[in-house]
Amino acid sequence: MTPTEPKKIEPTTAPLHMIDLIRKKRDGEALDAREVGFVAAGAADGSIPLEQLAAWLMASWLRGLTLEETTALTLAMRDSGVKFSPARLGKVAVDKHSTGGVGDKTSFLVAPLAAACGLVVPMISGRALGHTGGTLDKLESIPGYRAGLTLEEFETVLGKCGAAIVGQTPDLVPADRALYALRDRTATVECPGLICSSILSKKLAAGLNALVLDVKTGSGSFLRKPEDEEYVAALMVATAEAAGTRTVALLTDMGQPLGRTAGNWIEVAEAVELLRGERPAKSEDLRELSLRLAGWMIHLGGKADSPEAGYARAEEALADGSARRVFFAIIEAQGGDTAVLDDPKGFHKPGATQVVTAWQSGFIANMDTTELGWAVQRLGAGREKAGDPVDPHAGIEFHARRGAYVEQGQPLATLYATNAAKLTEPIERLKRAITISETAPRTVPLVRRIFTREAAGEYLQRQPPAASL
Ligand code: URA
């Protein structure tokens, strides 16, 4: 070193202080991998106070995370707990995860469909997040269902049923467990970098061989800008592939709730109807998307030569009742009372019910699905703060879907709430969310675009990486 050269400072060995990292992020600087790792580890072991984590989340939401920060956070969150290894089960491990939607209950179909086709599905899911519903909250509407299994129990259920659906635990992705719940109550959900790291940390910790991502687009998506949706889809595929997991992302329509129900128990009941082989017209989009996603899972898992052949195998598993039997077996193995699945209507006991009718005749031209999601949460299906109980029976059943023609006075939706006082705000939100007009809306494809690893690679080459996500 010549005397004029400045002495190199080694920032990586200096002790870190959360207050400095918050300030850095607040001022628009990027954190390095060690700093990001410090945040993830402190979230996981509780050593960083919640107010500091919340401040860092808000700074990240406002400033965005760079590509490097997103990758570092994904890996640090993955490594914040133990990693599950499904190799001992002797089957190919696959899963599906969505970026979050309203009425999105495809997990209850795709997990048993893939398991019925000879794959194993170690599904780590989440609770209600922002305006979107939570797979675990829906499953916990089944009396006795336990989402918090130990790793040993998780493996036992997987060995017995071929699929298990659990949540993050103090052992399994604890950093996501803490940050996920905190984002839900600090309005810091809709951040592409935080969404990407939250999803992939869980999926990579589950030791998957293959992953299908359902990236929601449209009015109910967290990622409102099409360029963000595409970028996050491509980024997640590339990141998961680089970590050794075969991955594909489907960009799918969330411009209206998926299927005809949004809530907790009513969503489980709708999925069970389809698993029984019934085909209600208003649930057809749910059936189709579930088969498309399962088709990809079965293909990437090596049980079909193409996603189309995977779709056909999934359809068989639906028709012959094998997927239904797997679903019932999972519920039973995780402590749930399957008797309620046999009598969905008998079990549904909402505290208050209100039918909302069309205020004019015309076409359902638009559904602001985020607003509808908030209506569902405020009926009692979601929580104000972590640990609040959710109402298993709260939710909305839609009687008309986007594009339908309705006569004035015709039922549009039935709202189920914990009590009558909880109906007022959701009714207002529902009325604000639905546009009835003289002209029919254009039809929107259910699957808008597919990012295979090749397509994601090409996209990321062409698209200059967003400076911050
Ligand atoms: N699903 C997740 O697990 N995390 C998110 O941030 C969004 C959807």
Side-chain angles (χ1 to χ4, degrees), residues 97-100 129 180 183 194-195 198-199 202 222:
H97 201 91
S98 111
T99 53
L129 187 65
Y180 190 99
R183 284 165 62 212
L194 293 177
I195 292 173
S198 165
I199 292 177
K202 286 192 280 288
F222 283 131

Side-chain angles (χ1 to χ4, degrees), residues 211-213 237 241 246-250 296 300 450-452:
L211 170 64
V212 177
L213 294 162
V237 172
E241 284 277 352
R246 281 299 320 273
T247 305
V248 68
L250 277 66
W296 271 101
L300 292 186
I450 297 177
F451 278 108
T452 57

Side-chain angles (χ1 to χ4, degrees), residues 25 36 56-57 60-61 63-75 77 176 179 183 188-201 222-223 228 231-232 235-236 239 466 468-469:
K25 199 68 226 166
V36 168
W56 178 81
L57 283 172
S60 300
W61 191 97
R63 292 294 190 171
L65 297 181
T66 64
L67 193 56
E68 290 73 22
E69 284 177 308
T70 303
T71 309
L73 186 58
T74 302
L75 300 181
M77 286 168 70
D176 185 53
L179 293 175
R183 284 165 62 212
T188 50
V189 174
E190 307 88 340
C191 169
L194 293 177
I195 292 173
C196 178
S197 51
S198 165
I199 292 177
L200 284 190
S201 61
F222 283 131
L223 305 163
D228 279 352
Y231 194 81
V232 164
L235 177 71
M236 285 201 286
T239 309
S468 109
L469 289 171

